[in-house]
Amino acid sequence: MSIYIHLRSFILSSLLLTTSILSAQENDTTSISGDDFFEISLEELMNIKVEVTGENQLSLRETPGIITVITEKEIQKSGARDLVDLLRTVPGLDFVGDIENTVGLGIRGNVSMEGKILVLVDGLEMNETGYGTVVFGNRFMTENIKKIEIIRGPGSAVYGGLAELAVINIITKDTEGAYASTTGGLSNSALSRANAQVGYGTKIGEVKINFSGSYSETNRSNETIDYATNYIDDENGAPISQNYADSSVIRNVDLNLGINYKGLSIRGIYQDHSVQYNYDSGDWVKFGGTYLGAKYDWKINEKLKITPLVTWKHVLPWTYSGNLSGDSHYYTNRNFRSTQKITALYKIHDDITITLGGESYQDQAVFPDDSLVFSNGESSISYYNIGAFGEVAWANRIANFTLGARYDHHNQFGGAFVPRFAITKAFDKLHFKGLVSRAFKAPVINNFELNPNIKPELTTVAELEIGYKLGDNWALIANAFYTDIEDPILYIYDGETFEEDYQNLTRASTIGTELSIRTHQSWGNINANYSFYYNNNTEAAGYLNELDETLLNAFPAHKISITSQINIGEKFTISPTLIYNSKKVGYFYQDEYWENYAAYEYDPTLIANLVLFYQVTKGLNISAGVYDILNQRFVAVNAYDAGYYGTPFMGREFTLKAMYKF
């Protein structure tokens, strides 16, 4: 495996960069985050301002959404290997498998991989525009993250057609100083992961500059699966065994540069994300691309702020390398999206704020040569969308009221209108939220290529949350949800004819509840949550199975996660994690040559992790962890008709991480 070579080169480069930074600073050892081990209280956490729900920022207890916030300190001491470890602890979120050794997200029992959960990094959309996906695993490193905000519910009224079911907003660090970190992992006595990351922030006059860069390489899994199904050796007709330990490498390069001057913010991100897949049609699937954005907060006066925003991205939507067959040309194109947006925030009165805005984007897909054509007969194809949105927020002593709506018109599928209404209020100990929203999933380029008549799916979501603070150190939050999706878009694949299609099915619906209890004490903190969903008379056949009518494909009905950080003195922290998933059901071909497509029940799993964190000196931290202690080998189950067993995660793994802040 080439991890050693790449890592050695990257670490040497990192050390050279760090040395040059320190020389330029004349040995300035300013910490990157001020008080490195600031113990955030429960009161401060519950009242933290949230950006992800709109322009009008409110506290976590009063913002119009069901929100999870993960702070920098929680990320650091958790020992999370990457973003996947953090998201697995969030109520309602779960990972599903897809083809070619990839995984994506689902929420509340609904598969969401293709353009139904929006992922933002510093305000830039990371979803590719061929299918709308964001694949996970060794892609988003944690050392440069300041805060993660997650809307566990619809975000289309604010963010449009890629935010139907949830929004994940990743905010990176913007403080001064430099850091370098490196991580190594072992599983089954073999190197399983290696990564290195550096970051630097400085202020020159009124200009703030922040940079981070990382290289990482890991295996998806160390499992061997004997397929007696669709993986057939053409020479002798024998089933193929897939050894993920030597053919599931994931490589990622990430560069992030931000420049801020007064009200002007400029951001550039480059990602090269390559996934090795164990099938004979090629070597790698590539994702990522170049993401650019600029915005200006123009404060006209104390009451009016106007913010223009422009973004541009060049992305790789499932771009294959290696031995491609002639009918796989859809997987060689490059996609582009440019977006223009303007938002006006006007404070009519101390209690009333109005937000108005407009947005447009242009999508383009281009093949590498003229011999390959899209459905229009050309080697490139384009679409455009225009939208308008508005919202009124009224905060008074009785409650906070939010009423908003968004309308989008796309030149291919037509219009989509999504209103939302919220009522929230925080008292001394008690808070409540009542939310009703419409949302939509906008079809994207490759949806149209397979079905030019595909329509957006429309979702209605009702949510109720009640929270109560038990003294100064305990908080209990409970919420219930109802999700109903009209015309859900689902990928359909016929293993016998090899034909693929996107179709609008009839209806998919889930109801459920999520419970959370957390405590912050002088000795540390505990966060425990439980999430449950139930199939609410779903009619879309692609979501259903005959083994358990209460479940939708790929998702467990019950999930429990417990995370904790226990301080032993001032420098040592123990962080155990438990994640329980009940049984899941999925379909795949269970006989040779694409025969016997049948449901299969996957056993419950209990994932146990343990991380030890130690502050060696003021700037140096080390952590050692063991993940999946019980060697459960979690499988991300395929949620649609692709015929694959699923994507296995790494089994028991030992890691060592070191991070130094200059």
Side-chain angles (χ1 to χ4, degrees):
M1 189 176 177
S2 60
I3 287 180
Y4 295 106
I5 298 174
H6 290 289
L7 183 60
R8 182 178 62 185
S9 300
F10 188 81
I11 291 176
L12 288 173
S13 301
S14 301
L15 291 174
L16 289 172
L17 174 62
T18 302
T19 303
S20 63
I21 288 172
L22 293 177
S23 299
Q25 288 184 290
E26 297 181 352
N27 296 320
D28 181 5
T29 57
T30 303
S31 170
I32 194 167
S33 57
D35 187 358
D36 292 344
F37 299 98
F38 172 66
E39 297 288 343
I40 185 170
S41 70
L42 184 64
E43 178 73 21
E44 290 164 323
L45 178 65
M46 298 297 287
N47 290 308
I48 195 169
K49 296 295 182 182
V50 176
E51 302 175 19
V52 70
T53 53
E55 294 289 331
N56 191 33
Q57 294 185 22
L58 293 170
S59 72
L60 182 62
R61 300 174 71 204
E62 294 188 298
T63 192
I66 307 299
I67 308 295
T68 294
V69 174
I70 306 173
T71 66
E72 177 183 350
K73 178 178 175 295
E74 290 174 318
I75 296 170
Q76 181 187 53
K77 291 195 174 182
S78 72
R81 293 166 293 183
D82 70 353
L83 187 62
V84 169
D85 284 338
L86 298 171
L87 296 183
R88 294 181 76 181
T89 67
V90 175
L93 285 184
D94 227 319
F95 284 91
V96 296
D98 207 336
I99 61 173
E100 322 299 27
N101 186 30
T102 61
V103 298
L105 273 173
I107 184 168
R108 295 172 171 175
N110 295 288
V111 57
S112 311
M113 184 164 182
E114 292 198 358
K116 303 180 186 183
I117 294 180
L118 176 65
V119 178
L120 301 168
V121 176
D122 294 323
L124 298 180
E125 293 184 357
M126 304 306 291
N127 301 62
E128 49 87 10
T129 56
Y131 301 91
T133 59
V134 178
V135 298
F136 289 87
N138 193 45
R139 183 169 184 180
F140 300 100
M141 300 296 102
T142 60
E143 284 78 4
N144 72 331
I145 297 178
K146 176 181 178 182
K147 184 172 62 173
I148 302 171
E149 302 172 341
I150 302 163
I151 301 179
R152 304 189 331 258
S156 289
V158 176
Y159 293 103
L162 292 176
E164 177 192 20
L165 297 179
V167 179
I168 299 171
N169 185 36
I170 302 169
I171 302 166
T172 62
K173 296 174 182 176
D174 60 356
T175 48
E176 297 180 43
Y179 68 86
S181 71
T182 184
T183 303
L186 290 174
S187 185
N188 282 356
S189 301
L191 185 65
S192 54
R193 75 178 59 241
N195 68 59
Q197 184 167 4
V198 295
Y200 175 61
T202 189
K203 187 174 182 180
I204 305 172
E206 295 187 71
V207 179
K208 293 181 68 175
I209 302 173
N210 294 96
F211 166 80
S212 66
S214 67
Y215 175 84
S216 54
E217 184 169 325
T218 186
N219 283 336
R220 171 79 70 194
S221 174
N222 55 7
E223 187 169 359
T224 298
I225 299 177
D226 292 322
Y227 286 96
T229 59
N230 49 319
Y231 293 93
I232 302 297
D233 184 337
D234 290 333
E235 183 174 342
N236 54 33
I240 291 176
S241 294
Q242 293 186 314
N243 182 5
Y244 279 78
D246 62 12
S247 57
S248 65
V249 176
I250 306 171
R251 295 174 181 162
N252 192 78
V253 176
D254 187 284
L255 303 174
N256 187 325
L257 176 65
I259 301 173
N260 294 274
Y261 174 70
K262 296 184 177 179
L264 176 65
S265 300
I266 300 173
R267 177 70 56 177
I269 297 174
Y270 170 78
Q271 245 190 21
D272 182 356
H273 187 71
S274 300
V275 179
Q276 183 185 31
Y277 55 95
N278 24 37
Y279 192 46
D280 62 2
S281 62
D283 298 321
W284 300 87
V285 190
K286 298 182 72 67
F287 302 89
T290 303
Y291 311 79
L292 303 173
K295 75 170 186 175
Y296 182 71
D297 288 329
W298 182 20
K299 295 183 178 179
I300 307 298
N301 51 46
E302 292 298 318
K303 294 187 174 183
L304 177 62
K305 181 178 75 170
I306 298 176
T307 303
L309 167 72
V310 293
T311 66
W312 178 89
K313 61 183 178 182
H314 166 211
V315 292
L316 305 178
W318 294 78
T319 300
Y320 285 44
S321 65
N323 179 26
L324 281 167
S325 59
D327 59 355
S328 300
H329 61 276
Y330 287 131
Y331 304 111
T332 63
N333 56 288
R334 307 291 192 268
N335 286 10
F336 303 85
R337 172 175 286 192
S338 58
T339 302
Q340 307 81 37
K341 181 178 181 180
I342 187 165
T343 306
L345 185 71
Y346 184 64
K347 200 164 189 175
I348 297 178
H349 188 269
D350 289 342
D351 297 334
I352 302 175
T353 303
I354 294 179
T355 303
L356 295 172
E359 182 178 34
S360 65
Y361 66 78
Q362 302 78 41
D363 279 341
Q364 183 183 33
V366 180
F367 280 128
D369 62 74
D370 293 339
S371 65
L372 303 175
V373 297
F374 291 96
S375 56
N376 62 353
E378 304 290 337
S379 60
S380 68
I381 195 166
S382 300
Y383 300 94
Y384 68 85
N385 185 94
I386 57 174
F389 54 90
E391 185 171 274
V392 178
W394 178 30
N396 61 44
R397 60 186 183 87
I398 299 175
N400 307 305
F401 298 92
T402 302
L403 179 63
R406 179 184 178 111
Y407 177 78
D408 281 71
H409 180 81
H410 192 279
N411 70 305
Q412 181 70 18
F413 66 72
F417 176 71
V418 288
R420 76 163 175 164
F421 172 74
I423 177 172
T424 69
K425 185 63 178 178
F427 301 97
D428 181 29
K429 300 290 186 181
L430 178 71
H431 80 265
F432 72 87
K433 300 179 181 183
L435 314 165
V436 179
S437 305
R438 290 276 276 175
F440 73 105
K441 191 277 186 197
V444 286
I445 294 171
N446 283 37
N447 299 146
F448 295 130
E449 284 300 296
L450 293 179
N451 183 356
N453 298 314
I454 199 80
K455 300 183 297 184
E457 59 181 59
L458 295 172
T459 298
T460 301
V461 179
E463 301 167 291
L464 177 66
E465 178 178 283
I466 298 176
Y468 191 76
K469 293 197 298 180
L470 304 168
D472 294 331
N473 300 317
W474 291 83
L476 175 65
I477 300 174
N479 73 276
F481 63 85
Y482 163 84
T483 302
D484 190 88
I485 304 175
E486 303 171 26
D487 301 319
I489 299 172
L490 196 66
Y491 176 79
I492 307 295
Y493 183 77
D494 190 322
E496 296 181 357
T497 65
F498 303 105
E499 293 183 355
E500 54 183 349
D501 191 16
Y502 281 97
Q503 296 179 8
N504 289 109
L505 304 182
T506 50
R507 175 180 171 271
S509 180
T510 60
I511 57 176
T513 187
E514 295 156 351
L515 306 175
S516 177
I517 185 167
R518 65 189 305 160
T519 181
H520 281 219
Q521 306 281 349
S522 59
W523 48 261
N525 62 76
I526 299 174
N527 183 19
N529 61 65
Y530 166 72
S531 51
F532 164 76
Y533 84 90
Y534 185 89
N535 170 25
N536 182 38
N537 298 315
T538 293
E539 300 169 0
Y543 285 71
L544 302 172
N545 68 85
E546 71 266 22
L547 295 184
D548 191 335
E549 64 180 13
T550 67
L551 297 179
L552 298 184
N553 287 339
F555 294 97
H558 306 275
K559 174 183 167 182
I560 300 171
S561 72
I562 303 173
T563 60
S564 58
Q565 297 172 354
I566 302 168
N567 300 322
I568 310 296
E570 295 183 355
K571 295 186 176 182
F572 186 62
T573 302
I574 301 174
S575 299
T577 299
L578 289 173
I579 304 170
Y580 170 78
N581 284 307
S582 60
K583 70 176 183 180
K584 299 177 286 191
V585 176
Y587 281 83
F588 61 93
Y589 292 94
Q590 300 187 23
D591 291 333
E592 297 180 7
Y593 297 103
W594 300 89
E595 297 291 340
N596 188 22
Y597 185 72
Y600 179 82
E601 185 175 298
Y602 298 76
D603 292 335
T605 57
L606 178 63
I607 304 300
N609 306 327
L610 180 65
V611 174
L612 307 179
F613 176 93
Y614 184 64
Q615 180 190 358
V616 181
T617 65
K618 183 178 180 180
L620 176 63
N621 308 319
I622 60 173
S623 62
V626 54
Y627 299 83
D628 194 8
I629 296 171
L630 304 177
N631 208 28
Q632 297 282 281
R633 300 187 177 188
F634 175 90
V635 175
V637 178
N638 193 272
Y640 64 92
D641 294 334
Y644 294 85
Y645 170 77
T647 303
F649 278 29
M650 181 66 69
R652 187 183 299 117
E653 183 181 23
F654 299 88
T655 67
L656 182 64
K657 176 189 292 188
M659 181 174 182
Y660 191 78
K661 300 179 181 180
F662 301 92

